Amino acid sequence: MIGRLLENDVLFSLWVKGEHKYPKTEQMKIGSLVHYNFFSWMSAGNISDNEKPNLTFVDNFDRRTKAGKEYYKDVVETFGDDFLRKGDAETAQRYIDLLTSDRFVKEYVDALKDSFAISYEETTTGIINGTKCKAKRDIVCRNIDNAIVLVVDFKTTSDIARFEKRSVWDYGYDRQYSMYKGIDGKPQNEVAFDFLTASEKDGIV
C-alpha cells in the first residue's frame, strides 16, 4: 500500500481510517486467495475466517468483445468487484499447489515455527515521518521476549528475474520493506525482512 500513499496522501489517510476503499484488481484478488489458502495451510487452519476473501467465481469472459463487456457489466452490478473469473481462480490454485508441495517452503515454514511465535496477516498502524500509516504484514515472527525479529512478505509473480530487477522498484516494494520494518518504531536494524516469492515458471525464491 506504500504506492497508494505516494499516489494520493489524502485518499490514503481516508483508507487508514476505514473511510475509503481501493478497487480490487484481478492480480490483487488472485493474491488474496493465494495468501489466505497458503497461510491456512501454514498455520494448520489457525487463521481467522475474517481473512477469507469474499469472492464469487464467475465464468470466463473477454472484455474486448461485445458479449464480454455486457457480461462484465452484469457481474459488476451484481457483485461489485468481489468476483474472480474461473480462469484466474485456476491460476490461484496452481500457486497454492506449488507452495504447499514445495520442499523448500516446507523446510522454511518448519524452521520459522521451530524458532518463533508466528502471527499471520497482522495489521499494524504507526507514525512514519509524521504520517499515520497502516501495514498488513503477512508473517510476523516474535522471539521469546515477544519482540518482533522477522517480517516475511509473500509475493506471487510470473517472472522471478523481472521481480528482482524491476518489480521491486516499479511497485515500491523497497519502500514497503522499509515501512514494514519501521512501523513499530523500532530501529530497522533490529528487524529482519524476507520476501517469499512464488512463480509458476521459476518456482520458489
Side-chain angles (χ1 to χ4, degrees):
M1 276 296 178
I2 190 68
R4 301 292 194 185
L5 170 60
L6 298 175
E7 289 172 6
N8 189 314
D9 61 332
V10 174
L11 288 181
F12 183 83
S13 296
L14 292 174
W15 174 76
V16 169
K17 294 186 289 186
E19 298 174 5
H20 174 70
K21 182 180 179 181
Y22 288 109
K24 302 172 185 175
T25 66
E26 297 304 310
Q27 288 304 314
M28 287 172 62
K29 288 183 280 189
I30 291 172
S32 68
L33 193 60
V34 175
H35 274 67
Y36 175 80
N37 283 278
F38 174 55
F39 295 144
S40 183
W41 168 81
M42 185 174 173
S43 64
N46 188 26
I47 185 170
S48 171
D49 284 341
N50 293 333
E51 301 295 340
K52 188 174 184 178
N54 181 28
L55 296 172
T56 299
F57 300 135
V58 302
D59 292 335
N60 294 323
F61 59 86
D62 185 346
R63 290 176 60 186
R64 294 172 297 182
T65 66
K66 181 178 179 181
K69 290 177 182 177
E70 292 176 352
Y71 183 69
Y72 172 74
K73 181 180 178 182
D74 290 340
V75 167
V76 171
E77 288 178 352
T78 304
F79 303 112
D81 59 3
D82 293 322
F83 70 89
L84 193 64
R85 290 177 293 191
K86 291 179 180 178
D88 292 327
E90 291 168 359
T91 297
Q93 188 60 53
R94 287 195 294 271
Y95 276 116
I96 294 164
D97 292 343
L98 172 65
L99 285 160
T100 55
S101 63
D102 187 88
R103 178 182 174 184
F104 166 77
V105 173
K106 186 178 187 306
E107 292 176 350
Y108 182 78
V109 168
D110 287 345
L112 292 182
K113 290 180 177 179
D114 289 342
S115 303
F116 308 110
I118 301 174
S119 60
Y120 306 92
E121 303 271 72
E122 183 176 300
T123 300
T124 305
T125 58
I127 305 297
I128 298 179
N129 294 332
T131 300
K132 185 176 181 181
C133 297
K134 180 166 67 172
K136 189 174 185 180
R137 297 178 290 192
D138 291 341
I139 302 171
V140 178
C141 303
R142 291 177 169 84
N143 64 15
I144 195 171
D145 298 318
N146 202 39
I148 296 174
V149 292
L150 172 64
V151 175
V152 181
D153 195 65
F154 173 56
K155 302 292 186 190
T156 56
T157 181
S158 59
D159 188 334
I160 288 290
R162 177 176 172 78
F163 178 86
E164 294 176 335
K165 294 178 181 178
R166 292 290 305 278
S167 297
V168 168
W169 319 111
D170 289 349
Y171 299 111
Y173 295 155
D174 56 326
R175 296 185 292 268
Q176 180 188 29
Y177 159 88
S178 180
M179 176 182 175
Y180 279 18
K181 290 182 66 175
I183 196 168
D184 297 293
K186 294 181 60 176
Q188 293 204 9
N189 60 3
E190 294 183 10
V191 182
F193 188 96
D194 278 351
F195 277 124
L196 178 61
T197 309
S199 165
E200 283 192 271
K201 183 178 71 173
D202 303 304
I204 312 295
V205 175

